[in-house]
Amino acid sequence: MPTTHSFPTLRTPRGPVPAGSPAWNPQRASSMPSHRYRSAFDRVNVPAVERRWPDARIEKAPLWVPVDLRDGNQALAEPMDTPRKRRMFDLLVTMGFKEIEVGYPSASRTDFDFVRHLVESDAVPEDVTPVVFTPARPELIERTFASVAGLDRAVVHLYIPTAPVWRDVVLRRDRAQLWTTVREAAELMDRLAGERSATTIRFEFSPEVFVLTEPDFVLEVCNGLTALWDASPDRPVIHNLPATVEIATPNVYADQIEYMHRSLDRRESVILSVHPHHDRGTGVACAELAVLAGAQRVEGCLFGNGERTGNVDLVNLALNLHSQGVDPMVDFSDIDEIRRTVEHCNRLAVPPRHPYAGDLVYTAFSGTHQDAISKGFAHHERTGSPTWEVPYLPIDPADVGRGYEAVIRVNSQSGKGGIAHLLHSTHGVDLPGRMRADFSRTVQRATDESGEEATAKDLWELFTATYLTPGRDGRLALEEWTTRPTEGGEHRFVCILRTECGGGERTGDFEGTGNGPLSAFVRALAGAGHEVEILGFTQHATSGGQDSPAMAYAECRVGGRVVWGAGRDTSVLTASVLAVLSAVNRAG
């Protein structure tokens, strides 16, 4: 009986083909209720600016600010305890981050105690500034300031929702009332900072859901705070503009950021910061375009942890710069240790296809990709160029502490180039071109039958069984053999051949002469009834040193059939003889 499968019932779009659609696009209107949603342009006024960001280039890294310990921590089903938080903090310091959001001290006892732990254990290096987060509520601001008492420096990060839906539904305040709340909170922060002269405190402000807030209102509030806090170049204020919920394509966010960049008062006294989320899957693009538009500081999480679809991914952003020849100013040279630490602290796995850090991101299974990568490695090694140019690998895996052993992996989709690369990199085997195609067919049969990946170990075992074993243990075997030059300048090959036939064995003495040991061996085989013509032959050492095994490959016509054989031995001549014998035995 044929196997039957049950699939869920899907509502295939059956609406009309939209008017004006070209003949090549038969897509029909779906039943999705898209009419319930408004475009970003209907929800917020995007200021018209003379765009400069499309012509800009990112030529230096912004100030990266990891928010794993606050925003990332809030997104965890099981928030980090102090040991996990400390391990994360130490990782961020080791990587080179100089401003780190360490917690939301008024949100929980755990967060408050962790900030105190950093203070009391003297864990904060002198060039690192902790950031603490607070809502615009007096009692929470006071607890936040209490948490940083004893630090040499800190940034206190004030936030409040400013977008219309949040103002109307959550806070139930109009614009004037909201500004009053913000001003009173900012005045309290200024007073508390003045009372703590032992700690240098700077201020940060986030108008929550900046992307949906009226631009003139954001500008009014930010400029008001810049004046109230008397920002100066040596004590700048941070205005952090979050894409708390992504609402549009990244170019719209860039327009909003450029408007603020060009409109803020005391611009030299303001650090323009962004905090993109990933709701539309474009958080990285939003951050990169925001930097082109004038942002100087980027908040995000390692590997993109965060509420809903996550915060912008700092690993992705920083290594994107690295791949363009721009120093990211943080160290990712041991990406696997970074990933292990983050997975331990967050108790969340990093996906195998995560850019730069996933298990499979430097791996090719496709035959065409493998062939290109293999040739790229060979070219890079041959030329010794300091510039990295290997197809399909945007950066050298070694830059982030990865080896090359997993770059090419073999399954039923793989081709001869990848198979040859693995044999070469693991066993020093350099297959001739036509032999690659021959062995590739063998590998594909094996992987098609198993449905599984063939590891480097599997390939070597299959290669050995296919080509090497027939030379040493086939139906035709060399019991003994010698070869030496004759007085006439030829070579003489004398051997005892054992042949399995008719359920038994037959052994005989044979000899032949030729212009070399292999041609003499071929004539000895002819005397035993095996007509062999060597069509192609190559040999090489598998590694450096006198004891390196040699590999030999022989393409032979045996009884009208073209077959390949291979031999491996510390003696080049023995390897060559075994390669020819392998071909004879494989011919059947």
Side-chain angles (χ1 to χ4, degrees), residues 471-472 476-481 493-498 521 525 577-578 581:
R472 292 189 178 275
L476 180 66
L478 277 168
E479 294 284 314
E480 296 179 16
W481 63 275
F493 194 99
V494 178
C495 61
I496 299 175
L497 285 171
R498 173 176 49 81
F521 178 44
L525 289 172
V577 170
L578 291 174
L581 192 58

Side-chain angles (χ1 to χ4, degrees), residues 231-561:
S232 62
D234 60 343
R235 189 169 177 263
V237 65
I238 301 165
H239 286 314
N240 185 53
L241 308 178
T244 315
V245 180
E246 280 195 298
I247 63 161
T249 50
N251 61 296
V252 175
Y253 189 49
D255 285 346
Q256 293 173 309
I257 297 301
E258 184 159 12
Y259 170 77
M260 294 297 292
H261 166 58
R262 291 162 62 176
S263 304
L264 284 165
D265 291 344
R266 303 197 203 183
R267 185 65 185 87
E268 73 285 354
S269 302
V270 172
I271 300 169
L272 183 56
S273 177
V274 293
H275 183 115
H277 279 248
H278 197 58
D279 303 83
R280 302 179 81 252
T282 58
V284 168
C286 279
E288 291 181 329
L289 267 59
V291 171
L292 293 174
Q296 301 153 290
R297 180 180 183 272
V298 176
E299 295 185 350
C301 286
L302 297 180
F303 305 113
N305 179 40
E307 293 281 12
R308 305 177 309 280
T309 56
N311 292 289
V312 71
D313 183 341
L314 294 185
V315 175
N316 202 161
L317 279 171
L319 288 174
N320 278 357
L321 286 188
H322 174 69
S323 73
Q324 298 299 303
V326 177
D327 186 348
M329 308 298 284
V330 280
D331 190 353
F332 292 93
S333 60
D334 190 350
I335 198 70
D336 289 333
E337 177 59 25
I338 294 168
R339 190 185 70 179
R340 281 191 293 269
T341 300
V342 173
E343 287 180 329
H344 168 79
C345 294
N346 289 342
R347 287 175 262 206
L348 294 173
V350 173
R353 296 292 183 191
H354 183 286
Y356 302 109
D359 280 336
L360 297 176
V361 296
Y362 303 105
T363 299
F365 290 101
S366 163
T368 54
H369 290 200
Q370 292 176 342
D371 183 61
I373 291 170
S374 179
K375 289 174 179 175
F377 275 137
H379 176 78
H380 186 72
E381 184 177 347
R382 185 170 59 252
T383 61
S385 171
T387 302
W388 180 256
E389 289 184 335
V390 174
Y392 297 110
L393 295 178
I395 68 168
D396 184 345
D399 291 352
V400 291
R402 290 281 179 87
Y404 299 132
E405 62 277 0
V407 169
I408 290 176
R409 290 166 59 179
V410 171
N411 61 17
S412 61
Q413 304 301 305
S414 304
K416 57 185 183 296
I419 294 166
H421 174 84
L422 279 181
L423 286 176
H424 179 68
S425 62
T426 57
H427 289 88
V429 173
D430 190 5
L431 295 181
R434 290 194 298 275
M435 190 175 183
R436 294 183 182 190
D438 188 73
F439 186 49
S440 176
R441 289 188 288 271
T442 301
V443 173
Q444 189 154 39
R445 282 194 298 271
T447 52
D448 275 336
E449 289 172 3
S450 71
E452 297 178 351
E453 175 187 353
T455 65
K457 179 175 179 289
D458 295 333
L459 286 178
W460 177 245
E461 289 176 352
L462 189 57
F463 179 81
T464 298
T466 303
Y467 298 106
L468 299 183
T469 299
R472 292 189 178 275
D473 187 20
R475 66 178 186 83
L476 180 66
L478 277 168
E479 294 284 314
E480 296 179 16
W481 63 275
T482 61
T483 182
R484 62 179 183 273
T486 66
E487 293 181 359
E490 292 189 317
H491 287 260
R492 184 176 180 222
F493 194 99
V494 178
C495 61
I496 299 175
L497 285 171
R498 173 176 49 81
T499 306
E500 295 178 4
C501 56
E505 292 185 353
R506 186 182 64 190
T507 302
D509 297 332
F510 300 93
E511 65 177 81
T513 58
N515 59 7
L518 287 189
S519 62
F521 178 44
V522 165
R523 289 181 179 171
L525 289 172
H530 302 280
E531 294 295 333
V532 180
E533 178 185 0
I534 299 177
L535 304 176
F537 178 83
T538 58
Q539 62 188 33
H540 65 83
T542 56
S543 63
Q546 293 182 344
D547 296 329
S548 167
M551 286 294 307
Y553 316 96
E555 184 182 23
C556 302
R557 181 178 285 112
V558 183
R561 181 184 172 197

